[in-house]
Structure formats: structure tokens, C-alpha cells
Amino acid sequence: MNINEDLSDNGNSRDRQTLMSNFIPHFISRQFINGADHGDFQAATLFVDVCGFTQLTETLMRHKKDGAEVLAEALDAIFTPLVQEVHACGGLIPLFAGDAFTAIFPLDSVEQLAGMPSVSRQALHAATSIQAFLNPQGQDRIFSTKYGEFAIGVGIGLSLGSVQWGIPGKGDHYAFYFRGPGVDGCARAAKVAWKGEIIAHDMILPKIQDYVKATSVAGLSCRKLIDCVLDPMKPSVPLESFARAELLPFVPESILDLTVEAELRHVCPIFTSFEEPSEHTLLHEFVTQAMTLAAQYGGHLHQIDFGDKGGLLVVLFGAPVAFENSVARAAEFVLAMQSTYSGLRWRAGITFGTAWAGIRGGGERREYGVIGDVMNSAARLALRASWGDIWAGQAAYEGLRKEYQLDEMGVLHLRGKSAPLAAYCLGGKKQVVDSGLFTGAMVGRDAELTVLEKFLNPVFEGRFAGIAHICADAGMGKTRLVYELRQRLCLQRDMSWFLCPADEILRQSLNPFKYFLRQYFHQSPDQSLATNKVSFDAVFETLLLHVQNSDAEADKIIHLTSELNRTRSFLGALVDLHWEGSLYERLDPKLRLENALAAFKALIKAESLRRPVILQLEDLHWLDDDSGEFLTALTRNVAAYAFVVVCTSRYRDEGSRIALNVDDTVPQQIIDLIRLDLKAINDLACELLGGGISEELEAFLAAKTGGNPFFVEQLLLDLRERGVLRLDTGQRWALQASEAKVPTKIGAVLIARLDRLSAQIKEVVQTAAVLGREFEVRLLSQMLHDEHGVPEKVKEAESGRIWSALSEIRYMFRHTMMRDAAYDMQLQARLRGLHRLAAEAMEQMYSSDFSPHYVDLAYHWGRAEVADRERYYAEEAGKQAAAQYAIHEAVAYFSRALDLLPEDKTIDRYDLLMARERVAAMQGDREAQARDLVALEGLADSLDDSKKRAKVALCRAHFAEATGDFPAAIAAGEAAIAFSRASGERCSEA
């Protein structure tokens, strides 16, 4: 079987209804509709373990995106027939676990085990059919790909027994599982199966003994089936597709709205291994807690699996929706589980890396899944960790080590893994220390820094300065600017700087201010409650003492002292300290919140009597509602207090600023950070590389990054790490290659941005990315047959600042890297189809004159891998470039056309070589010209064509004359005359 064929259907994904259908077993849907959440039944069971799958996936994933495309085809070729066979035999598939799955054949009615032969025969029939497909004539089936041939076999386990099912969850989020003796039995049987074998548990043997012969397996309660004779199965009833509303409780909208079957993603999976409880209530509590927390932190509870290794719960971060900080979100989720749940013993493994993510299975049962080494490694780490521990792999460690405590656990040598796996035990979050956060000089923001310093002056004169609001896109340097401001002021002024960061992941009430108060009162989760109370009391008493000893007016001192004492318990509650009988304990929630706001305001006012206060409110775009209300209250009627609020925020996706809900009387200074100019990009590059850069590298960085400082920094580091930079003759850093991949950190920012778009707009953006950084709306509409209302979607994407209008019909991506990210996340099969659509659309639109579009048509047909069309346009582009004296382009296109030309097209090869030889002569590239002349002489001889020999000889004469070899020039000229006479034509060349 050959799976190296284009299955893309001209770039269109499978029918949306096909993608949506059968994401859950119909059995589960029926039970959920009926209001049941658990139960059991008798069933025959089948465990299918695909052998050779690990080698296939690891080999193909080494080839990045192209390998991922081949993997998608392989998955389809391997699993679709297996799923069809299970369905044809009346079975259901709970889930796909990497290279294996369990199939369950339930007894339709409530019967005793005596009524089980029918479903046992169904399972046996499915097993033998799958065996025949993957092990025909006792040999592994060979799947041929462009990256080699792979032998795929199968080991199968059969059993019979009770199967328990459950639907844990609440609200809008539910999951499902199947477990029990029947599931465990087939898994244990498959564990001892060699490739090509079917091992049947003793439980099922009496029900199938009339159809098989079996031999015992030493020391085990199962037997190997060596012969099987079965009547054909009756055709199964086709399954109905689910309505969207039926799937939504179990499948996120982000999966239901997928417009592509698969893509490459940066994924952070968490495998949680847990002790399987006998009671469903405890299991449901555990799963529901995990599901709820996963949703809070932006994760997706992927599946619950049971087998010979106990229970496994898998949560995905980064797929199907990406965030900029998927690893941190995953860590926060699993640490929250660790601190809030104690009903079951569990352990976890967390990894991070690039993986295949998409729809797998067959038409009768499909699911969204992730395949790659990250999944295997996370599972291995979970099963090796001690109970209660969270183990992280190397890539996850790199993403967490700055902010989290991680202890080395050594290097693990795992079965089936050629490379050892480093393991680290994840502890709590470190206390943030921001000294030394940045190194080197800040570039390109001196003017903004001067404006900020001037705006803050009133606080050093004893007055409220207002709110400074720094707005910019991600990566533009908001935090760096504020850091530089703080460093400069610390050298000049006596002040207090209080950091209040909003939390991107959990936007809990007053979280920024609670964060500050925990630092202020020296609170730590590692300390006992008693110690934390002592720390709180000491800081509070010191604050009171400073207020009472300040130079402020007596009324101020009396008021603040009274207010601080009155609200002391509310400040304590903000850091989770409580005292029995306190005012806080006696009030209702609404009054508690109001008094908490008053308490914090009193603290800031009191601190401002000691020294000027700068309150840094970081990442305003993630601010919770209560904190927004507090900001309003904090800045009201405080003109006589020396403090200022410095806020940073991103623009909204449509480009507007976050609005501050404060009184009109509050002074405000808004600073919009714009992109770096060429000089600033150059300065930043010189700072990072320790030397100057070439004009080419400077222009490359500007074009790729749009002047975004973070993008410039990350791209430069990536180029340096990959050895793409070199020192030129002037000892400046220059590019060795003309292209650069989007580094992982930038990719995470951009893909998260794309994932926030609606599914239809995202599809339009990904399609437009095929056309390059600039595109025409009418061409995009032609590609998509305007089925999505393309012009309207383009306008929506413009509002979302994906691209900008160059004219009414032409648009340009705001960042080259945004275009690259949208392009690179798509698999090769889809891209081939989209490029074909682009080429066909261009041929239709520009049929009156292709000449201005030869280059684009050659590019798109080349990416579509249609060789004859690419060759035609490459040759035309070469002729056009030669006529315009664009020598390098002409050589490149003629060379590409030659590469695509079949060897037996001798005359066409002669014409192309002759055209390239002329260009080499124009260029004065004598070495290339000499090679082409030798090739031309050989072709003319093979054609036995005197006219062509004459032309080549004449070219040889001109070549010899140009190189100063006049005897050779005379000889070649005489040969040209002789060949011309032999052809019956007069040589007209001088």
C-alpha cells in the first residue's frame, strides 16, 4: 500500500459535517440525553495494539511539516479500515491512545453471560479482519512513503466481562470513560501478544470455541488463536451524524469549528496517572475537578483512559487553542490540582514540544488528538514519578525554570527510547525578584522615557500625579520601558515602587493587589499560618508607627490611623489571614469587598506619607472587574497624596486602547509605543550581537519583525543559534541564508493571536498567507469561490489588525512573521492544494496576459508540486528576466526549468540550455558557460542534428574569443561553417 499521494482535494478540508460527526460514541450520547451519568453492561472487548507505529511517527516527525503531512496520510490509511471494521462488527471505540485503541461490543439486552456468544463472535470477527489487514499471510503490511517503507503489524487481545461507563462533569463541560474487568482483560491479553497474534482471555474462550483453534500461553490465563472460521457478518447500520448541540457538552467549539484536519502545534500535554477507585463517585469528583481547573487555565481535558497501567487522565495545553504561555498555564493547572484535590493518589508528567495535532480515526469514530514524542514522554514521566509528584521534561523545564522551583531527578532510560529523558520535579512558584530582569541598554525609547519622568514629577513634590498609561502590542517593550524608568528613578529619588501584576491565567478578584500585599506583608506559602500572622502584624505596626511619626497634618494622621485600625482584618483577608470575631467575619460579602477597597486605599495613602509611591499596574488588559473598580476608587479625592499609577496594557485585538474608568479630574498621560525605526533596530542588533550588522540584515529584520523589539531580539537569537549569521569582510554580522523560521517564542505569540480569530476568519487568513505578505482580495475570493463572503472577512481581519489596506483591493500583513505563522502551521497537503487553487485562480483572472505574473505562477505551481506547469512558467519567467537583463533571476528560472524537465525531452533540454548559456555569456560567468557548452555539444551529438551542432559550435567560437583563445575560436568557427553546410543552411553568424 502506498500512502505517498496527495489527499488534499485541492486544498479543501473534508466536509465540515464529516469532521464533526462521531466525535463521541453514540452510546454515550444516548445515556447523556436520558440523564444517566454511570452504569455497566456485559460486553466482549478487543484491544488493538498497532506495532511499528512509534518508529513511523518518530521518523516522519523528524521531517517537520512535510513529515507531518505524510503522517496524516499514514494515520488515515492505517486507522480508517480498522475503525470501519469495528463498526461493521457492531462495536464502539471509546478513544484512541497513541498507537492503540479498545473496542467494546456491548450486549444489547440485559442477559446473562450465557447470551454472550453473539457479541463474542462479533469481537472475534473484528479481530480476525484487522489481523488480516495488518498482517496479511502472516507478514506485516508495508506502508510506503517518500521517507521510506514501514512495516506495520498488530497485536490483539480479546476478552469478555463487565464494562462500567461514566459521564463525569458539570455545567457545560463533560467527559466520558469506559473501564472494568472487560477492558482490563483485553489489555492484559494484548500485552503478551506478539506481532500478528490474537490472544484471547480465558473469559471469552468458551463463547468462541466453536470457531477457533487455540494453544495455551505458558503461565497465563489466556490462549493464542491459531485458526478461525467465521461466517460473513451482516452489514452494519450506518451511523447518524451528531447535531452540533449534541456534541457541545463533550467537544469544545474550537474543535467543532476546525477548518483543517491537522496542523503542527507547540503542545504542552499533561498525563496524570491515578489510582483507580472502585466507586464512581470518587472518580467523577476527581475528573470533574480536573476538567473545571483545566478550563480555567485554558486547557482541554483530552481523554480518560483505563488499562493495565491504571487510570490516565490527559489534559492538553496549546491544542486546539494556543496561548503565549502554554507551559506556565499547564504548570499552574497541575499545581492547582495538587493544592486543591486530595481524594485520590495521583502523579503527573508534563512535556513541551512540536507535535501533530488534528482529527484521527475513521468516519464512524473520530477524535481530535495529538501525536508525537511529547505525548509518549509525558506518559512515561507520569508513570515513573512518585505518587504526589509532578515530573517535567527538558523542554518544559526550560520554559518554567525562571519562575518555578524544579528539582533535578536525574536522567531516565526508557524502553523504546533511544535518547535518555531528563526529569525534573515541579515545585511551587518562585518569589519574583525583578532585579536584573533586563540586560544591556534600552534602545529607541528615550523620548517616551523623558515624557514619563516629567509626568511623575508631582509625586516628588508631595502631590498625586495621576495615571500614566503605556499602550502597545505584545513585544513592543512596555515592561522594559517601565523597568528603565524604575532603574533611573532609583538612582535619583527616595521612593517606594509597588508592583501589582494582573494575572493572564486566572483573573481572580483583586489579584494584582493581593499579589503586592503578599510581598508587602512578607507572606509565603512555605511558612506556617502563625508565622505569616506574625509577619503581617510586624509590618502593619511599623506602618502605623510611620504614619503617627510623619510630618503630615494632624487630621490626616488621625484619619489614616483610625481607618487602618478599622480595616486591619480586611487587609489580612486579602492575604488569606483571618481572625475569629473580626469585623471582616461579621460583614456580608458586598460590605467585605467595599471595606477591602477602603483598606488598600488607606494603606497606599499611608505609604505616601513615608515617601512617594509609584504603583505599577501591569497588564491592564487582564485586569479583573473588582480591580478595575478599585482603580476608580483609588484615584478619587487623593490630590494631596504623593503617589502615581503607572499602567501597561496591550491594545485590544481590533486596535483600541483599554479604557480607564476614572474621573475626568484625574491627570492622565497616554504613551503609545510605536515600532522601532531602522536605527533603533540596528542599535538593538548591535547590543545583542556585540557588533555591527549589514544593511541586508538590518532590512531583513525590519521586514520580518515590523520593528517589534521582542521579535527582533528573538529572531536574532534564533539566527545566531542556528548558525545563519556570519561576519562579512567589514566584520559586520550578515545573513548566510535569505529565510528564517519563526522562532518558538514568537510563534507562540502569533499563533495565540490567530487562534483568537473566529474559525472562518482564521481560514481566510491562512488562505491569504499562501499568496504572500501582500495579496489582492479578488484573487483570494476567486480561490475560495467567495463562499465565505471573503471581502467582509478581509475587513474583519483588518479590524483585528492582521493586515492593513494598501488600497481598496490590495492588503498587506502587518508583520511578515504573522504571515509566516499562518502559513507554517498548515500541513503540506493543504498548502499544496491552496497553492494549486491560487495558480488556477491567477490563470483565470489574468488569462488575457500572463506575462506580469510568470514568477507568481511558477511559484504557486511549484508549491503545488505540478511539475509541468511550474516548468512552463519558470521558462517564461527566465526569458522575461533575460530580456530585462535580470541575469541572476534568469539563470535561476532556467535552471529550475531544467531540473523539472524529464531526461527524455532532449530538444526541450537543448533549448533551455542554449537560453541559459546566452545568459551566462551576458553575465561573463565563463565557468557556467563552459559547463553548458559541454552539455549542449553532447545533446546536439545525441540528436545528430547538424543545425544544432552549428549553433553550439558558433557559441563555442564566441566563448573562445571572449576568453582570449583565438586558435580555438577559429577552429570552432570553422566547425560551425562545416556543420551549417552539412545541414543545408548557410551560416549567417559572423
Side-chain angles (χ1 to χ4, degrees):
M1 176 176 290
N2 192 306
I3 60 173
N4 186 24
E5 296 179 0
D6 188 353
L7 306 177
S8 64
D9 189 25
N10 288 334
N12 294 322
S13 58
R14 297 192 186 194
D15 180 79
R16 178 69 57 80
Q17 186 61 40
T18 302
L19 286 177
M20 279 179 53
S21 65
N22 305 319
F23 267 125
I24 61 175
H26 282 68
F27 173 88
I28 290 295
S29 179
R30 290 195 300 271
Q31 303 303 323
F32 184 75
I33 291 171
N34 292 333
D37 71 349
H38 73 282
D40 60 77
F41 52 75
Q42 297 294 324
T45 55
L46 176 71
F47 189 92
V48 178
D49 186 7
V50 178
C51 308
F53 189 78
T54 299
Q55 182 187 1
L56 170 74
T57 55
E58 289 186 352
T59 300
L60 295 182
M61 288 303 292
R62 283 198 291 269
H63 296 280
K64 306 298 181 184
K65 185 164 60 177
D66 192 47
E69 172 211 342
V70 177
L71 177 58
E73 297 169 3
L75 289 171
D76 197 51
I78 294 170
F79 283 101
T80 295
L82 308 189
V83 172
Q84 290 173 344
E85 196 56 50
V86 169
H87 170 66
C89 295
L92 65 88
I93 298 173
L95 53 82
F96 298 89
D99 55 1
F101 65 85
T102 301
I104 297 172
F105 300 81
L107 198 62
D108 289 335
S109 58
V110 182
E111 301 180 23
Q112 302 299 317
L113 284 177
M116 295 296 287
S118 59
V119 292
S120 300
R121 191 167 61 252
Q122 290 171 239
L124 177 62
H125 202 295
T128 55
S129 297
I130 290 171
Q131 181 191 49
F133 174 69
L134 286 180
N135 287 95
Q137 288 82 48
Q139 301 295 319
D140 292 344
R141 180 173 287 276
I142 303 300
F143 289 83
S144 299
T145 77
K146 66 170 71 174
Y147 298 114
E149 294 186 338
F150 299 90
I152 303 295
V154 67
I156 300 173
L158 277 170
S159 191
L160 184 73
S162 173
V163 173
Q164 301 161 17
W165 60 270
I167 306 178
K170 64 179 181 180
D172 298 328
H173 302 288
Y174 291 86
F176 61 86
Y177 64 83
F178 293 85
R179 63 169 184 161
V183 174
D184 296 341
C186 67
R188 283 195 294 268
K191 195 171 183 179
V192 299
W194 293 87
K195 272 201 297 185
E197 292 184 345
I198 300 175
I199 304 295
H201 195 280
D202 284 350
M203 285 293 294
I204 199 172
L205 279 171
K207 312 300 179 184
I208 59 175
Q209 60 186 357
D210 293 339
Y211 311 101
V212 300
K213 293 180 182 179
T215 60
S216 61
V217 179
L220 299 172
S221 56
C222 53
R223 298 193 180 196
K224 181 174 75 172
L225 305 187
I226 58 174
D227 197 7
C228 179
V229 179
L230 286 168
D231 296 330
M233 293 290 298
K234 293 181 180 180
S236 58
V237 178
L239 294 173
E240 293 184 6
S241 295
F242 288 104
R244 184 183 180 90
E246 294 175 294
L247 293 172
L248 275 173
F250 299 93
V251 187
E253 286 187 293
S254 53
I255 292 177
L256 296 182
D257 290 336
L258 284 173
T259 58
V260 295
E261 277 200 85
E263 56 194 1
L264 287 182
R265 277 189 171 269
H266 301 306
V267 180
C268 183
I270 295 178
F271 275 70
T272 302
S273 166
F274 60 91
E275 288 187 328
E276 187 176 347
S278 58
E279 293 296 324
H280 80 276
T281 52
L282 194 57
L283 175 58
H284 284 214
E285 178 187 315
F286 173 67
V287 174
T288 301
Q289 175 75 349
M291 197 181 322
T292 302
L293 284 174
Q296 288 179 6
Y297 287 96
H300 163 53
L301 195 149
H302 174 47
Q303 56 186 211
I304 313 158
D305 192 15
F306 293 92
D308 60 313
K309 296 180 179 67
L312 277 176
L313 184 145
V314 185
V315 176
L316 300 176
F317 287 85
V321 176
F323 295 92
E324 297 169 31
N325 57 348
S326 291
V327 183
R329 285 174 174 267
E332 290 294 322
F333 156 73
V334 76
L335 288 171
M337 276 292 291
Q338 192 178 60
S339 63
T340 60
Y341 185 81
S342 59
L344 291 176
R345 286 207 308 171
W346 59 273
R347 53 197 175 173
I350 173 173
T351 54
F352 177 71
T354 303
W356 181 99
I359 306 299
R360 58 181 176 178
E364 294 80 8
R365 178 71 172 96
R366 303 165 68 78
E367 72 170 23
Y368 182 86
V370 172
I371 295 174
D373 189 56
V374 288
M375 298 293 282
N376 298 330
S377 297
R380 303 288 182 86
L381 286 169
L383 294 171
R384 289 289 293 271
S386 302
W387 292 111
D389 281 354
I390 303 161
W391 283 15
Q394 186 67 43
Y397 165 80
E398 293 298 335
L400 297 171
R401 62 187 176 87
K402 290 183 180 179
E403 296 185 30
Y404 295 84
Q405 182 65 45
L406 290 124
D407 298 324
E408 292 187 20
M409 303 305 293
V411 175
L412 308 180
H413 296 275
L414 303 173
R415 184 173 60 85
K417 303 290 293 180
S418 57
L421 181 64
Y424 304 84
C425 188
L426 176 64
K429 200 165 186 177
K430 294 178 180 177
Q431 295 293 316
V432 176
V433 178
D434 64 359
S435 59
L437 184 62
F438 297 98
T439 58
M442 181 181 69
V443 300
R445 302 297 184 209
D446 291 336
E448 291 89 346
L449 188 58
T450 300
V451 170
L452 277 173
E453 285 188 285
K454 183 177 179 181
F455 182 75
L456 266 60
N457 275 338
V459 300
F460 302 109
E461 298 168 359
R463 294 179 287 118
F464 176 57
I467 299 178
H469 187 186
I470 303 164
C471 310
D473 287 323
M476 291 298 287
K478 301 179 295 295
T479 304
R480 178 62 196 267
L481 176 61
V482 175
Y483 173 84
E484 199 70 26
L485 173 68
R486 180 176 182 177
Q487 295 303 107
R488 185 172 295 190
L489 290 177
C490 284
L491 296 174
Q492 304 169 358
R493 306 282 192 172
D494 179 29
M495 63 175 189
S496 295
W497 190 290
F498 298 149
L499 174 63
C500 304
D503 192 328
E504 173 191 3
I505 301 172
L506 288 182
R507 302 180 192 182
Q508 295 176 324
S509 175
L510 300 177
N511 190 72
F513 306 110
K514 289 179 178 179
Y515 172 92
F516 155 67
L517 289 172
R518 284 192 289 270
Q519 317 303 313
Y520 181 84
F521 286 114
H522 308 311
Q523 302 293 292
S524 171
D526 298 327
Q527 297 175 168
S528 67
L529 178 61
T531 302
N532 279 333
K533 283 189 173 183
V534 169
S535 297
F536 177 89
D537 290 340
V539 175
F540 189 86
E541 293 300 330
T542 301
L543 177 63
L544 284 177
L545 187 63
H546 280 293
V547 171
Q548 293 160 1
N549 293 333
S550 71
D551 295 330
E553 297 88 347
D555 288 347
K556 271 188 181 180
I557 294 173
I558 293 171
H559 168 71
L560 281 177
T561 301
S562 173
E563 185 68 354
L564 285 169
N565 279 316
R566 187 187 72 82
T567 59
R568 180 174 186 152
S569 61
F570 296 93
L571 282 174
L574 288 172
V575 292
D576 301 318
L577 299 179
H578 302 278
W579 293 269
E580 187 175 349
S582 67
L583 180 59
Y584 175 87
E585 298 291 324
R586 299 198 301 269
L587 296 183
D588 63 36
K590 183 175 184 298
L591 290 175
R592 285 177 178 177
L593 177 60
E594 290 176 2
N595 280 274
L597 299 183
F600 189 87
K601 183 172 182 177
L603 184 147
I604 296 299
K605 289 163 72 173
E607 277 290 344
S608 73
L609 298 184
R610 299 174 64 182
R611 60 177 67 90
V613 170
I614 289 89
L615 192 71
Q616 180 187 349
L617 188 52
E618 193 170 53
D619 294 327
L620 199 67
H621 47 283
W622 292 322
L623 202 66
D624 63 276
D625 291 340
D626 289 341
S627 294
E629 182 181 335
F630 173 66
L631 184 60
T632 305
L634 175 66
T635 55
R636 186 177 291 141
N637 301 322
V638 289
Y641 293 92
F643 74 94
V644 65
V645 181
V646 177
C647 302
T648 63
S649 74
R650 296 182 187 176
Y651 298 120
R652 300 182 193 275
D653 284 347
E654 81 282 358
S656 65
R657 298 189 192 99
I658 303 293
L660 298 177
N661 185 24
V662 296
D663 295 346
D664 294 339
T665 57
V666 175
Q668 292 190 50
Q669 174 68 60
I670 296 175
I671 296 178
D672 294 293
L673 295 187
I674 61 175
R675 65 182 185 178
L676 298 181
D677 58 22
L678 283 176
K679 180 182 182 305
I681 290 174
N682 193 305
D683 291 344
L684 179 55
C686 293
E687 182 74 32
L688 285 168
L689 300 177
I693 63 172
S694 67
E695 289 83 1
E696 178 196 13
L697 178 55
E698 181 184 272
F700 175 82
L701 291 171
K704 279 285 184 181
T705 67
N708 183 300
F710 174 72
F711 290 2
V712 172
E713 176 184 297
Q714 292 299 315
L715 181 55
L716 274 172
L717 293 175
D718 179 70
L719 292 171
R720 185 172 64 183
E721 288 170 5
R722 292 192 293 111
V724 182
L725 299 179
R726 60 174 173 80
L727 285 171
D728 63 14
T729 54
Q731 293 301 297
R732 300 178 306 170
W733 290 102
L735 278 172
Q736 289 191 94
S738 60
E739 294 187 9
K741 300 176 183 178
V742 178
T744 300
K745 288 186 178 180
I746 300 177
V749 174
L750 297 175
I751 292 172
R753 178 76 184 81
L754 290 169
D755 279 348
R756 291 199 294 271
L757 302 172
S758 70
Q760 286 191 344
I761 295 178
K762 181 179 176 182
E763 182 177 14
V764 170
V765 171
Q766 288 180 314
T767 304
V770 169
L771 299 174
R773 190 178 183 188
E774 295 184 26
F775 64 91
E776 288 188 27
V777 176
R778 59 177 182 153
L779 179 57
L780 184 60
S781 296
Q782 182 83 9
M783 289 176 64
L784 294 172
H785 310 295
D786 202 23
E787 60 188 24
H788 298 298
V790 172
E792 292 77 16
K793 294 295 185 295
V794 169
K795 285 290 185 183
E796 289 185 54
E798 181 187 12
S799 299
R801 300 189 308 142
I802 298 298
W803 44 55
S804 300
L806 299 176
S807 66
E808 290 185 4
I809 62 170
R810 194 165 186 83
Y811 285 78
M812 180 174 73
F813 279 86
R814 289 171 66 91
H815 290 296
T816 299
M817 286 191 173
M818 176 63 82
R819 178 264 167 192
D820 293 348
Y823 186 90
D824 290 340
M825 69 189 298
Q826 303 177 75
L827 293 187
Q828 202 63 42
R830 174 175 165 80
L831 290 174
R832 278 202 304 270
L834 290 175
H835 280 292
R836 185 183 189 108
L837 284 176
E840 290 171 345
M842 292 181 75
E843 287 184 335
Q844 291 177 22
M845 286 178 56
Y846 308 128
S847 57
S848 60
D849 184 12
F850 289 152
S851 60
H853 308 287
Y854 286 147
V855 171
D856 289 334
L857 284 163
Y859 168 76
H860 287 301
W861 281 120
R863 290 301 179 98
E865 298 183 9
V866 182
D868 59 336
R869 303 300 294 160
E870 181 191 1
R871 174 169 54 83
Y872 170 77
Y873 287 112
E875 183 174 355
E876 294 302 312
K879 293 175 183 176
Q880 188 178 68
Q884 297 169 352
Y885 206 75
I887 301 300
H888 295 291
E889 287 184 34
V891 170
Y893 283 115
F894 284 139
S895 298
R896 179 59 180 162
L898 280 164
D899 289 341
L900 294 168
L901 192 65
E903 289 293 333
D904 59 352
K905 299 287 186 181
T906 311
I907 294 176
D908 292 334
R909 183 168 292 278
Y910 172 90
D911 291 340
L912 278 168
L913 275 169
M914 185 61 73
R916 191 171 73 178
E917 188 274 340
R918 290 194 192 106
V919 174
M922 293 165 59
Q923 187 182 20
D925 187 346
R926 302 308 173 194
E927 186 176 341
Q929 188 181 2
R931 287 196 301 269
D932 283 350
L933 284 171
V934 170
L936 283 165
E937 287 164 348
L939 287 172
D941 289 343
S942 68
L943 290 167
D944 195 19
D945 187 325
S946 296
K947 185 177 179 180
K948 286 182 169 51
R949 283 171 170 157
K951 285 185 178 181
V952 176
L954 194 58
C955 290
R956 174 66 75 179
H958 289 312
F959 173 80
E961 182 180 12
T963 56
D965 189 350
F966 298 109
I970 294 170
E974 291 173 346
I977 294 172
F979 285 133
S980 181
R981 288 171 177 168
S983 70
E985 293 188 7
R986 180 169 171 267
C987 184
S988 60
E989 299 283 351

